[in-house]
Amino acid sequence: MANPDFALTCPVPLGRHRTLQLAHGGGGRLTRELIEGLFLPAFDTATPNDRHDSAVRPFGASRLAFTTDSYVVHPRVFPGGDIGRLAVIGTVNDLAMAGARPLYLSAGFILEEGLPIDELRRIAGSMRAAAEACGVELVTGDTKVVDRGKGDGVFVNTSGVGLVPPDIAIHPRRIRPGDAILLSGDVGRHGIAVLSVRGGLAFESPVESDCASLAPLVSSLLDAGVDVHCLRDATRGGLATALNELALDGGVAMEVEEHAIPVPEGVQGACELLGLDPLYVACEGRMVAFVPGASAGRALAALRACPGGEQAACIGTVQTGPPGMVALRTRMGSRRLLDLLSGEQLPRIC
Ligand code: MG
């Protein structure tokens, strides 16, 4: 008789860790191992189709995009935003990355006993303002309170749904050799803004988070008639992590030019001081877009004409080559690999 406990599945090994590490939440190699080795086999939904910021499913004659994200940023208020704004913008952006028009969000709160009610009111107000600015509605939610010392003030989860317009197919599988890689703006602001208020670090040039909706930039590309192959917001793990995920999931190689990637002076200075690589520092209002090489000029013009896209740049190309390989052509002309992070660079950045 078959032993029901014996199943011939072969999940990706969960590495050497027997307990959860902070890096399992960092968006790099360990996060990928956790998803591929534990969650996908457990949920039995290991469809490679869903390696994207939102799941897209048929809904009547349309297609629905659905996504969820949790926010644990520390501290909760930082230059350019707070946990409430981040929770709305982050989920709106994950919908936009599938080409969807964001419509409705839910908000789930895990709150710690002792949290000042005024602070919670400010966070809720910030969520409402961000939702109004993005044209989405917060329509349902949940509140749980845990004992003093058993949480860390406020954790927020937001889920969101949106409608994907007809004839739009934006997905890592559509990335092709020859595609141009466009970046919508400068990198590293969000991570450095959060770090600047963590532990009382004061940088010479203050850096504000780039936390902003990417939906208008996506619309500008689609309205210009660009056949967008793929989009990804460069959040946790920064630009380098976004490129690595897409190179792996799209089965392609990529080469990007260091000189073409805008890094603000304040971010560069802080990174030098702290020993960080700005290409791995989180953004919350920047995306990479993969478009056919022949459309790169039109796509760049559309992005630059849209508020928030003024610094958009073509940073490289997709190449035939070892799937998953991302190379950086440095300012000195040498070539180095940009790998997935194996540890945690900046915990609780979003
Ligand atoms: Mg995302």
Side-chain angles (χ1 to χ4, degrees):
M1 199 175 130
N3 178 353
D5 293 332
F6 179 76
L8 278 173
T9 59
C10 185
V12 175
L14 268 176
R16 62 191 186 282
H17 301 291
R18 300 204 58 83
T19 56
L20 206 68
Q21 311 294 304
L22 267 176
H24 281 114
R29 193 175 300 284
L30 287 187
T31 304
R32 212 174 160 89
E33 283 179 12
L34 192 64
I35 293 170
E36 292 181 354
L38 193 149
F39 287 119
L40 292 184
F43 294 168
D44 197 23
T45 53
T47 47
N49 299 348
D50 282 341
R51 304 292 174 83
H52 201 12
D53 285 334
S54 292
V56 175
R57 290 289 184 278
F59 183 69
S62 313
R63 285 171 303 157
L64 199 65
F66 181 33
T67 190
T68 190
D69 209 333
S70 300
Y71 299 86
V72 299
V73 65
H74 171 76
R76 294 187 284 276
V77 182
F78 47 83
D82 63 11
I83 191 171
R85 176 172 167 79
L86 195 59
V88 168
I89 296 289
T91 293
V92 161
N93 284 347
D94 279 343
L95 292 171
M97 293 303 99
R101 187 163 65 87
L103 292 174
Y104 303 112
L105 302 190
S106 70
F109 295 90
I110 298 173
L111 308 170
E112 184 185 356
E113 177 188 17
L115 178 79
I117 294 286
D118 275 347
E119 182 178 355
L120 188 55
R121 190 176 285 116
R122 280 196 296 277
I123 291 169
S126 171
M127 292 178 77
R128 180 189 167 150
E132 282 177 0
C134 295
V136 295
E137 280 184 72
L138 287 154
V139 291
T140 186
D142 177 57
T143 308
K144 297 286 188 297
V145 179
V146 298
D147 303 348
R148 201 182 291 267
K150 301 281 174 67
D152 193 8
V154 182
F155 298 145
V156 186
N157 171 276
T158 49
S159 298
V161 292
L163 280 178
V164 183
D167 307 322
I168 300 286
I170 296 175
H171 197 282
R173 282 192 319 274
R174 289 202 65 219
I175 300 175
R176 296 280 179 273
D179 279 0
I181 308 172
L182 310 182
L183 173 66
S184 69
D186 57 10
V187 297
R189 287 183 181 274
H190 177 71
I192 296 303
V194 173
L195 273 191
S196 73
V197 281
R198 190 184 284 177
L201 293 171
F203 300 128
E204 224 167 78
S205 355
V207 175
E208 279 213 342
S209 171
D210 56 345
C211 183
S213 170
L214 292 166
L217 290 173
V218 177
S219 297
S220 74
L221 286 176
L222 300 179
D223 292 347
V226 177
D227 178 19
V228 178
H229 287 171
C230 192
L231 298 167
R232 176 65 46 97
D233 51 349
T235 55
R236 191 173 52 169
L239 173 66
T241 300
L243 295 176
N244 268 279
E245 288 172 349
L246 293 177
L248 285 166
D249 294 338
V252 293
M254 300 179 189
E255 184 165 299
V256 292
E257 305 281 338
E258 187 176 28
H259 73 84
I261 302 171
V263 180
E265 203 180 315
V267 170
Q268 189 67 49
C271 283
E272 279 167 16
L273 198 70
L274 298 167
L276 299 172
D277 182 339
L279 303 187
Y280 289 87
V281 177
C283 312
E284 286 291 341
R286 301 290 181 257
M287 65 177 189
V288 280
F290 292 77
V291 302
S295 316
R298 187 155 45 104
L300 263 187
L303 288 174
R304 286 176 180 159
C306 188
E310 297 86 353
Q311 287 193 77
C314 180
I315 61 165
T317 52
V318 177
Q319 307 190 331
T320 49
M325 197 188 76
V326 180
L328 179 80
R329 179 76 57 187
T330 67
R331 282 198 174 80
M332 315 299 283
S334 60
R335 203 162 169 271
R336 72 173 167 97
L337 290 186
L338 282 185
D339 210 353
L340 267 183
L341 278 187
S342 50
E344 172 60 295
Q345 188 172 255
L346 301 171
R348 292 188 58 185
I349 209 73
C350 60

